[in-house]
Amino acid sequence: MKDIFSLEGKVAIVTGALGKLGPVWIESLLAAGSRVFALDHPKAAPSEVFAVLEKKFGKEKLHLARADALDKDALLLTKDELLKTFGAPDILVNNAGIDQPPAPGKSFKLEDIPLEMFMPTLTVNVYGLFLTTQVFGGMMARRGSGSVINIGSLYGSVSPDARFYGHIEGENPFIKPPAYGASKAAVLNLTKYFATHWGPNGVRVNAISPGGVAGGQDEEFKAKFNARVPLGRMAVDGDLAGPLIFLASDASSYVTGINLRVDGGFTAW
């Protein structure tokens, strides 16, 4: 049974490799046996966690490349780098995106959110994912096999509860930016879109939507959020590994077009 979860001999691409969740997906894939071609923006800051993975697994298993997800020409050049380094991809994890976690500081009233605060999130989270899927997923479609995994969000399915953030001080009460949830809802639709178009080509396309992932949030926020979760806690990194490997491996060979919610039951209520 364990063989159907194995990724031995597979090549995976992970975008947004240096962000919060990038190393989580990368370590899970490496542990399951795949080689990982990690991709992030040229200006993305180094990640200590990623550096640890580089040292642990070595360059023969983990390679970092730089490209802007909004620049198709740069992505095409990166495709050539991928082929020279590891060969054709079997797995694409579309993780790159913009989020705004709850924090004190300047915020806007809902009716005053300007275009320049809205569009970057929508553009990167939707169009960037679309481009990387075109370039790398297209390689899979031409070859006739592969698994694309889009990273969605709890807020792609439900609206943020503003009461979670009411205690956070700022010029105005903090609200989760509406562009974030809108972009993740679009990701879920694109997941179905690519799944139906590329199913005949042997490419499966699914989404994972994590609930709140613990990572430095203040205690009052965590208490309010956890009270809304049937399992009574936020997700930790280890909760995400199994769902990812399931969708990346042959264990899900007849699964496509789904949104796998990893939210502790948040959306069951």
Side-chain angles (χ1 to χ4, degrees):
M1 178 61 71
K2 68 178 181 180
D3 290 342
I4 66 172
F5 292 96
S6 173
L7 299 180
E8 286 293 333
K10 302 293 186 181
V11 174
I13 304 165
V14 178
T15 68
L18 302 178
K20 177 183 176 183
L21 292 182
V24 176
W25 310 125
I26 290 169
E27 184 172 18
S28 302
L29 293 162
L30 290 168
S34 74
R35 290 170 291 168
V36 176
F37 189 83
L39 186 62
D40 214 322
H41 193 280
K43 295 182 180 180
S47 162
E48 292 183 7
V49 181
F50 184 88
V52 170
L53 294 177
E54 281 185 310
K55 184 175 181 180
K56 178 179 178 180
F57 289 95
K59 292 185 177 180
E60 66 278 5
K61 296 282 286 184
L62 177 58
H63 177 85
L64 176 63
R66 298 282 190 162
D68 185 347
L70 298 178
D71 185 341
K72 192 170 185 178
D73 289 337
L75 291 173
L76 290 171
L77 289 174
T78 305
K79 181 182 76 171
D80 295 335
E81 183 177 350
L82 165 68
L83 292 173
K84 291 177 182 178
T85 305
F86 290 145
D90 303 286
I91 302 157
L92 168 62
V93 180
N94 276 317
N95 172 70
I98 295 176
D99 188 13
Q100 185 179 346
K106 181 176 175 59
S107 58
F108 291 88
K109 294 179 180 178
L110 180 58
E111 60 269 28
D112 294 332
I113 295 173
L115 182 67
E116 59 268 24
M117 293 290 292
F118 192 93
M119 288 308 298
T121 299
L122 202 64
T123 303
V124 172
N125 292 8
V126 181
Y127 186 57
L129 178 142
F130 182 74
L131 284 182
T132 54
T133 305
Q134 280 187 317
V135 172
F136 300 113
M139 297 172 70
M140 300 178 191
R142 289 188 292 273
R143 192 180 62 189
S145 65
S147 174
V148 177
I149 303 165
N150 297 324
I151 305 305
S153 168
L154 168 71
Y155 291 149
S157 300
V158 297
S159 179
D161 187 337
R163 292 171 295 185
F164 292 163
Y165 312 103
H167 65 285
I168 297 174
E169 296 179 355
E171 185 176 327
N172 294 293
F174 178 88
I175 56 173
K176 189 72 175 180
Y180 179 75
S183 71
K184 291 302 183 178
V187 164
L188 300 185
N189 189 272
L190 281 176
T191 297
K192 297 175 183 179
Y193 190 94
F194 278 110
T196 55
H197 280 264
W198 283 350
N201 298 83
V203 178
R204 298 181 297 105
V205 186
N206 295 290
I208 292 177
S209 286
V213 180
Q217 297 92 342
D218 68 85
E219 293 302 317
E220 187 170 349
F221 170 84
K222 288 191 289 186
K224 288 189 284 189
F225 188 91
N226 291 346
R228 179 63 177 73
V229 179
L231 290 183
R233 63 177 178 84
M234 301 188 77
V236 295
D237 293 350
D239 295 322
L240 305 179
L244 178 77
I245 300 306
F246 168 68
L247 292 179
S249 70
D250 290 342
S252 59
S253 60
Y254 198 58
V255 177
T256 196
I258 72 159
N259 174 32
L260 179 53
R261 296 172 178 172
V262 187
D263 63 4
F266 189 106
T267 50
W269 272 330

